[in-house]
Amino acid sequence: MKIYTRNARVAFYLWIAAFTTLASLNCAALDTPPRPELASLRAEMRAEHYDSAVALADKLIGFKDAGVAEAQYLKAQALFYTKKYPEAISAADQVDTNSVWRYKATFLKAQSLVEQKNFKEAAALYQTEAARLLAAGRKQELVGVIAAFADKLATPADPKVPDAPKPDFNKAYNLYMKALAMEISRELRDELIFKKARAIQQAGNHGQALRDFQAYLTEFDPAWTGPAGSGAARLPMQVPPPMGKHVAFARYRLAESQIQSGNLAAGRMELEDLEKIIIAPLFVEGLVKITPFHLELATDEGKKLPAEIRWLMVQSYFTQPPATLSSRNSGISQFVNANSPGQTIGNTGGLPTTDVILFVLRDSDLDAAIKAARDYLAAFPEGSRAVRVAWMIAEAYQNAA
């Protein structure tokens, strides 16, 4: 059975070209560069002059210098194409085991065994190579490459870089899914499941984000018993798994997704629960109990979380009318987004200089909205957000009158 076509051979030699760089690593360890005959050997193989290639390979192998491993492999390849399978197997066995060509030689040997209908021995070789290729370390390396690319796709464009590529959160989400489908460590799953949920949230798919953040908390937060007020509490675990590294922000992003999807009451309850957990004492039976949750809060981003919780709570009560969002003063809308650094207009702190309604209540609960705003000002009385919260209070009272 002929399993190699001319096109396959051409593809193989293109692959050889890619391997040349790796093969040169072996050459660097020798005092002399590869002999010019090696280029001639490659040319003979491309031209399918296999008998000449074998003779030239033997000559190069006899020199025992740089390029010998590649010459050994190409000799085995030439013998295979001339259907001299026993000789091809023997030549493949002679390929330097410390070279990058040894893996290709193993597959060539297995293919030669198949041509001889020695399927049992060929299967053993394939199984060994498959185990090597699918080893845990190689899987982790592959997942790392996929995740790194997904991270780039999920990175917002740098405004300081002209023509910076825009993020593609949906593609990043799909890549995170592919990485998670592989066998990876719990620590890496912790990282990727959170990033996956965050990517789909940034893509605007808040329903899926809700499900993904809940899935993260179910797997990585032993203390989480379900969405606040859902009545779907789960039983406590006898031997809970280790807590994840993104539990605090997963809870926060879950609340944010609930608010973004219009489920304001659920989002507010999640924020209240999270705030209670943050301010809970560290002492348990007289001992300080430090968990990954506290380590997360100790980071630069984590230290900002209490302010973000209060700010998101305020946003759950106030919104901007469409006319304001599309006006010249839309810079103010940047401050409604908890993830935006905001903008300012002159020395007005971003507030308009014309008579325009900036904020309106999302629902009719004026008292709760005023309380959330006053709580924010009591905790964080300075900064541009405080100016806006004060404006919200004034507008809420004015429009309710």
Side-chain angles (χ1 to χ4, degrees):
M1 177 180 63
K2 187 174 182 180
I3 60 175
Y4 290 91
T5 65
R6 183 181 180 85
N7 289 338
R9 295 175 187 175
V10 171
F12 164 71
Y13 288 115
L14 290 175
W15 213 55
I16 285 181
F19 256 81
T20 302
T21 302
L22 292 175
S24 66
L25 296 176
N26 295 316
C27 301
L30 300 172
D31 294 333
T32 58
R35 290 178 176 271
E37 290 92 337
L38 185 58
S40 300
L41 172 57
R42 295 170 185 156
E44 293 292 332
M45 291 294 292
R46 287 192 295 270
E48 300 184 14
H49 298 160
Y50 299 125
D51 291 336
S52 300
V54 170
L56 191 53
D58 284 333
K59 181 180 179 181
L60 285 166
I61 293 169
F63 291 130
K64 298 186 181 302
D65 56 8
V68 63
E70 183 179 355
Q72 289 171 327
Y73 176 75
L74 292 179
K75 175 185 177 181
Q77 186 74 31
L79 291 167
F80 178 87
Y81 284 141
T82 54
K83 299 184 179 182
K84 298 177 181 178
Y85 302 122
E87 292 88 343
I89 291 171
S90 178
D93 285 337
Q94 295 174 21
V95 175
D96 186 358
T97 56
N98 295 318
S99 75
V100 296
W101 299 97
R102 66 190 185 279
Y103 301 122
K104 291 177 66 62
T106 300
F107 279 111
L108 180 64
K109 179 179 178 179
Q111 292 157 8
S112 298
L113 290 168
V114 168
E115 292 296 335
Q116 292 181 299
K117 296 183 173 51
N118 190 344
F119 301 116
K120 184 176 181 180
E121 191 173 348
L125 286 176
Y126 281 127
Q127 185 174 4
T128 300
E129 285 302 294
R132 180 185 65 82
L133 291 171
L134 299 176
R138 293 182 65 87
K139 287 182 181 179
Q140 294 285 337
E141 183 180 353
L142 178 58
V143 170
V145 172
I146 295 173
F149 184 46
D151 291 345
K152 289 185 178 181
L153 288 174
T155 301
D158 187 347
K160 298 179 181 179
V161 178
D163 301 323
K166 295 181 179 180
D168 192 329
F169 297 113
N170 283 307
K171 283 187 178 179
Y173 182 82
N174 291 332
L175 285 175
Y176 287 132
M177 289 283 286
K178 289 182 183 296
L180 286 165
M182 304 180 72
E183 295 179 16
I184 57 176
S185 65
R186 177 179 172 81
E187 183 177 5
L188 189 53
R189 279 185 60 81
D190 179 359
E191 196 73 26
L192 297 185
I193 292 178
F194 179 79
K195 287 181 177 180
K196 179 188 73 161
R198 183 72 180 115
I200 203 66
Q201 181 190 26
Q202 290 173 289
N205 190 341
H206 305 306
Q208 185 60 49
L210 282 171
R211 292 187 287 273
D212 286 344
F213 282 121
Q214 289 182 38
Y216 175 89
L217 292 167
T218 299
E219 184 170 350
F220 292 100
D221 184 3
W224 195 69
T225 57
S230 65
R234 62 179 182 177
L235 295 174
M237 301 181 186
Q238 294 294 328
V239 183
M243 181 179 289
K245 295 181 179 180
H246 304 283
V247 167
F249 273 94
R251 285 175 175 258
Y252 170 77
R253 295 299 181 189
L254 173 62
E256 186 179 46
S257 297
Q258 288 170 326
I259 292 169
Q260 289 169 335
S261 63
N263 195 346
L264 304 179
R268 291 165 186 165
M269 285 190 287
E270 289 291 349
L271 291 174
E272 290 171 356
D273 285 356
L274 177 57
E275 193 170 40
K276 290 176 183 177
I277 297 172
I278 288 177
I279 64 176
L282 294 177
F283 293 93
V284 178
E285 297 179 356
L287 300 175
V288 177
K289 184 179 180 181
I290 302 295
T291 68
F293 188 90
H294 301 105
L295 295 177
E296 184 182 357
L297 295 176
T299 63
D300 291 340
E301 188 178 10
K303 291 175 183 178
K304 301 174 185 177
L305 189 56
E308 296 299 326
I309 292 171
R310 292 290 181 94
W311 177 237
L312 183 56
M313 182 68 81
V314 172
Q315 292 179 82
S316 75
Y317 288 100
F318 293 91
T319 187
Q320 290 181 270
T324 304
L325 290 171
S326 60
S327 70
R328 289 179 59 191
N329 295 306
S330 61
I332 188 70
S333 68
Q334 299 295 326
F335 288 92
V336 178
N337 189 332
N339 305 310
S340 172
Q343 302 175 7
T344 59
I345 305 174
N347 61 357
T348 66
L351 297 176
T353 57
T354 58
D355 186 12
V356 61
I357 296 176
L358 289 183
F359 301 100
V360 296
L361 291 177
R362 286 178 180 263
D363 48 32
S364 58
D365 198 345
L366 175 63
D367 292 339
I370 296 299
K371 181 181 183 307
R374 293 192 184 282
D375 286 346
Y376 181 92
L377 289 175
F380 308 100
E382 299 180 354
S384 60
R385 284 181 176 176
V387 175
R388 285 156 183 76
V389 173
W391 186 285
M392 291 174 185
I393 294 174
E395 282 198 322
Y397 278 129
Q398 180 183 26
N399 296 327

